Each structure stands twice: as C-alpha cells, then as structure tokens.
C-alpha cells in the first residue's frame, strides 16, 4: 500500500512530551483509536490492520522495568504487522563496553524504522530525537517513559479513557478531575497535567502529602493556561465533587535515601468504604501497576476503569504508530467499518 503523499504535513514525527499535542490532534487520535477498535473486532479488520505496516521494523529499547507499556507497544506493533527487536537491559547492549546511549540509539536506527524507548533518565528521548534530526537517517522516537518527567503515550491513552468514559456527558470539557498519590515524581500525572489546557472549564484537584505535591513547572503551566487547580491532603472532603480520580503509586524507585518510607501515605488510598461518597458516574483510573492505593475489591465497581484503561493503551499506541507512518487515513476512510 503506498504511503500517503496527499497530506501536506505530518502532525507529529516524534512523540516526546505532551506539550506537543493540541486539541485537534487529541480528538483525531481518539477518533482513530475508536476506528481501530472497531476493525479489531473481526478477522477481516485485523488482517487489514496487519497489512498496513508489514514493511516496517521497530526497536523497543526498554532499560527501565515495564510490563504493560512494553507489552502494549509490542502488541500494537504486531497488530500493524511491524516486526520488533528489543533490548530490555542495558547490560546486554554495548553500553556495557562504554558506548554512549546516543551512539547505541544511532546504531538501532541503522536497522529499524521507529524506536520506542523507556529510560530511567529524564530527557533522553528528546536528546535522541535532536540527534536524529541532524542525521541522514531520521528515525521517529517514541518516549515510553523518561525518568520522572514524562510518559506521553500513557497520557494519550488516559485522555482516550476519560473521553470514552464521559462520551454521553460531553467528554472531558467541564469535568473536575482529581489526581492523587505521588504527583511529584509520577510522570503519568505530570504528562496528563500538561494536556489539560486543551479542555474547556476543567478543574483539577491535586491530592497528595506535602512531600509528593505536584511540581511547580506543571502548576505554573496550569496558571498560565488559566486552568484552576486546588491542592489538598484530604481525599474524603473532595471525593463527592470529582468526576474522575486518577490514582498513582508512590514512585520510590527514584528515592535516594529511602525518604518515601518516612512519608505517611495511609490517607491516599481508595477502598470500598469510599465509593459511596463518589458520584454515581465518576471514573476511577490508575496507570498501573498498583500496590495498595486501590483495594482490589474496588475492581468490581463499574466506576473502576483501570483495566479498560490498560487495554485502551494498546489501541491508542496502534493509533500513534499509524499517525507516525502517515497511514491513519487508510483506517479512517476504509470501507471495512461496521
Ligand atoms: C507507569 C510508569 O511507568 O510511569 N506505569 C505505566 O507505564 N503504566 C506508572 C507507574 O509505574 O507507577
């Protein structure tokens, strides 16, 4: 299938941080994700999807632990026919011989058409993208989690989950969204925070112990964009007003001296006893993995959307890959739908 040359501009090449997404792009990605889900419901649709990028190869460079982001990218690639190679431990790459990561990435780019990368360092995906932008072999980079700072594809799947959950209530516009847990080092909530400027009349409620409050860069951005937010340590008092609560894990892998264990996080957990205080059509989300921030018994409540959120991730990543390779119009305009 020929790649499109009819569209004047690709809307994005790399996926590095959520600041690069505007509302039309977000709405377009959501529409595309829904179309892909419909195709995937039947064999013909799945075979069609698998034919779209069977001529492409991807590198999954995940040197920081990952289960769902790795698997969902791997499966998203398989859905589109993309073949994958992977590195999951830098001790098995030439970095151990002293090669710089940027040199290693440049090496990967010799073999593949897209690099998906998760690293414990912040900003590496951006450095890699800058490097590739100067070379003859410019390969798209997808940031699948960069240290404490960003996890843009997670935020995109979170937007899709919110939009889908609120589809009969006017979408995300006008909603009050709580974010709870380790907001300081949780890259998912940080990335999602940057996207909120794209929605009208949204209010944010940050629920965290003082040690894990949302950082000033995100709060400053929200103030500049006139997105109102409040900060509280009292989950119970704000639960009744929330349309969604997005709960995160304490990110103690970033601890230098075990400081997380000294913080009392007992008031930042959702149990069955809290559910009666919440709106009947509220949405409970979590990027997963969870520890004890959400009691497993909450899973049975219809407002718990985190397992659906996880599966949405695979479909959103299919959508992202089709945009990068400019074949999304084949999906939107195909006659196979319905
Ligand atoms: C998140 C991450 O890696 O930042 N996980 C994920 O990708 N779904 C959240 C976390 O690890 O707490």
């Amino acid at each position: 299938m020929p790649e499109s040359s009819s569209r004047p501009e690709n809307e994005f090449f790399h996926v590095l941080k959520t600041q690069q997404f505007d509302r039309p792009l977000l709405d377009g990605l959501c529409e595309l994700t829904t179309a892909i889900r419909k195709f995937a419901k039947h064999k013909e649709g799945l075979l069609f999807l698998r034919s779209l990028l069977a001529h492409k190869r991807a590198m999954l460079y995940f040197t920081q632990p990952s289960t769902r982001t790795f698997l969902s990218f791997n499966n998203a690639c398989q859905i589109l026919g993309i073949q994958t190679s992977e590195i999951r431990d830098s001790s098995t790459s030439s970095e151990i011989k002293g090669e710089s990561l940027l040199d290693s990435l440049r090496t990967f780019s010799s073999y593949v058409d897209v690099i998906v990368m998760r690293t414990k360092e912040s900003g590496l995906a951006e450095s890699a993208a800058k490097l590739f932008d100067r070379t003859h072999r410019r390969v798209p980079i997808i940031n699948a989690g960069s240290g404490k700072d960003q996890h843009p594809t997670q935020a995109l799947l979170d937007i899709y989950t919110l939009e889908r959950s609120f589809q009969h209530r006017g979408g995300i516009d006008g909603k009050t969204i709580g974010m709870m847990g380790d907001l300081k080092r949780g890259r998912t909530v940080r990335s999602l925070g940057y996207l909120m400027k794209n929605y009208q009349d949204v209010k944010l409620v940050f629920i965290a112990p003082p040690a894990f409050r949302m950082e000033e860069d995100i709060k400053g951005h929200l103030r500049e964009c006139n997105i109102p937010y409040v900060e509280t340590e009292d989950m119970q008092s704000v639960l009744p007003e929330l349309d969604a609560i997005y709960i995160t894990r304490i990110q103690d892998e970033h601890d230098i001296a075990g400081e997380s264990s000294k913080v009392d996080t007992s008031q930042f957990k959702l149990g069955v006893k809290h559910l009666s205080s919440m709106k009947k059509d509220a949405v409970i989300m979590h990027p997963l993995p969870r520890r004890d921030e959400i009691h497993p018994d909450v899973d049975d409540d219809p407002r718990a959307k985190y397992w659906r959120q996880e599966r949405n991730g695979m479909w959103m990543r299919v959508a992202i890959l089709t945009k990068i390779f400019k074949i999304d119009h084949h999906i939107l305009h195909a006659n196979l739908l319905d």
Side-chain angles (χ1 to χ4, degrees), residues 69-324:
T69 307
F70 176 82
L71 284 176
S72 71
F73 265 114
N74 203 17
N75 282 283
C77 286
Q78 287 172 12
I79 287 167
L80 290 165
I82 302 174
Q83 293 176 59
T84 56
S85 321
E86 65 188 61
I87 288 186
R88 301 214 55 183
D89 180 352
S90 56
S91 70
T92 64
S93 88
S94 281
E95 283 171 74
I96 203 80
K97 299 181 190 167
E99 182 170 60
S100 73
L101 176 55
L102 289 180
D103 276 5
S104 295
L105 288 166
R106 195 159 179 177
T107 301
F108 306 153
S109 76
S110 302
Y111 308 121
V112 299
D113 304 292
V114 56
I115 297 174
V116 187
M117 58 187 285
R118 165 174 289 202
T119 59
K120 70 177 188 318
E121 299 85 0
S122 301
L124 258 180
E126 279 183 81
S127 309
K130 276 196 194 118
L131 171 80
F132 288 151
D133 288 348
R134 294 199 308 269
T135 66
H136 290 300
R137 202 169 150 68
R138 187 171 177 245
V139 169
I141 297 276
I142 303 178
N143 178 0
S146 51
K148 290 178 265 188
D149 75 331
Q150 283 255 359
H151 193 351
T153 64
Q154 175 75 42
L156 295 173
L157 76 91
D158 294 338
I159 287 290
Y160 183 65
T161 305
L162 286 165
E163 286 283 31
R164 223 184 132 188
S165 306
F166 297 138
Q167 65 182 328
H168 302 301
R169 297 168 56 204
I172 297 174
D173 293 330
K175 301 297 180 292
T176 299
I177 299 173
M179 297 185 185
M180 181 166 84
D182 190 342
L183 307 182
K184 182 184 169 78
R185 304 172 300 182
R187 55 193 175 190
T188 62
V189 275
R190 288 176 47 76
S191 284
L192 190 57
Y194 276 123
L195 287 179
M196 287 297 135
K197 73 157 196 298
N198 295 294
Y199 297 91
Q200 283 170 9
D201 302 322
V202 164
K203 291 193 204 94
L204 297 178
V205 181
F206 296 140
I207 312 157
F212 297 141
R213 278 203 185 128
M214 189 58 99
E215 290 274 41
E216 196 44 44
D217 56 345
I218 307 286
K219 291 190 287 193
H221 172 83
L222 293 170
R223 288 193 299 273
E224 264 168 39
C225 300
N226 294 317
I227 307 288
Y229 66 84
V230 292
E231 297 184 275
T232 178
E233 290 172 52
D234 185 0
M235 172 183 75
Q236 189 60 57
S237 71
V238 293
L239 268 186
E241 69 191 71
L242 300 181
D243 295 298
I245 182 163
Y246 190 111
I247 302 170
T248 64
R249 174 178 71 82
I250 303 305
Q251 309 280 312
D252 47 16
E253 65 268 41
H254 301 297
D255 272 19
I256 298 163
E259 68 262 31
S260 295
S261 58
K262 296 182 203 128
V263 178
D264 179 7
T265 54
S266 56
Q267 300 308 307
F268 304 90
K269 300 177 201 287
L270 192 79
V272 172
K273 66 176 183 216
H274 300 117
L275 295 175
S276 58
S277 315
M278 295 181 65
K279 289 187 180 176
K280 294 270 169 296
D281 48 8
V283 176
I284 304 167
M285 291 171 60
H286 192 304
L288 303 176
R290 74 172 150 191
R291 288 176 185 160
D292 57 357
E293 314 81 55
I294 302 181
H295 193 280
D297 289 348
V298 173
D299 296 7
D300 298 329
D301 191 282
R303 292 169 286 188
K305 300 291 186 211
Y306 27 93
W307 298 110
R308 172 181 287 187
Q309 180 185 357
E310 179 176 76
R311 190 162 163 81
N312 283 341
M314 179 173 73
W315 304 123
M316 174 52 83
R317 287 168 175 133
V318 173
I320 291 167
L321 287 162
T322 66
K323 278 269 196 201
I324 286 177

Side-chain angles (χ1 to χ4, degrees), residues 33-82:
T33 304
T34 296
I36 289 163
R37 281 181 38 239
K38 284 191 188 157
F39 274 106
K41 284 192 199 309
H42 48 82
K43 184 177 167 189
E44 295 74 24
L46 279 166
L47 291 175
F48 166 73
L49 290 171
R50 210 199 294 165
S51 71
L52 289 175
L53 290 172
H55 56 306
K56 297 291 182 190
R57 291 185 302 276
M59 175 78 204
L60 304 180
Y61 177 84
F62 276 64
T63 53
Q64 208 191 17
S66 176
T67 304
R68 69 220 85 235
T69 307
F70 176 82
L71 284 176
S72 71
F73 265 114
N74 203 17
N75 282 283
C77 286
Q78 287 172 12
I79 287 167
L80 290 165
I82 302 174

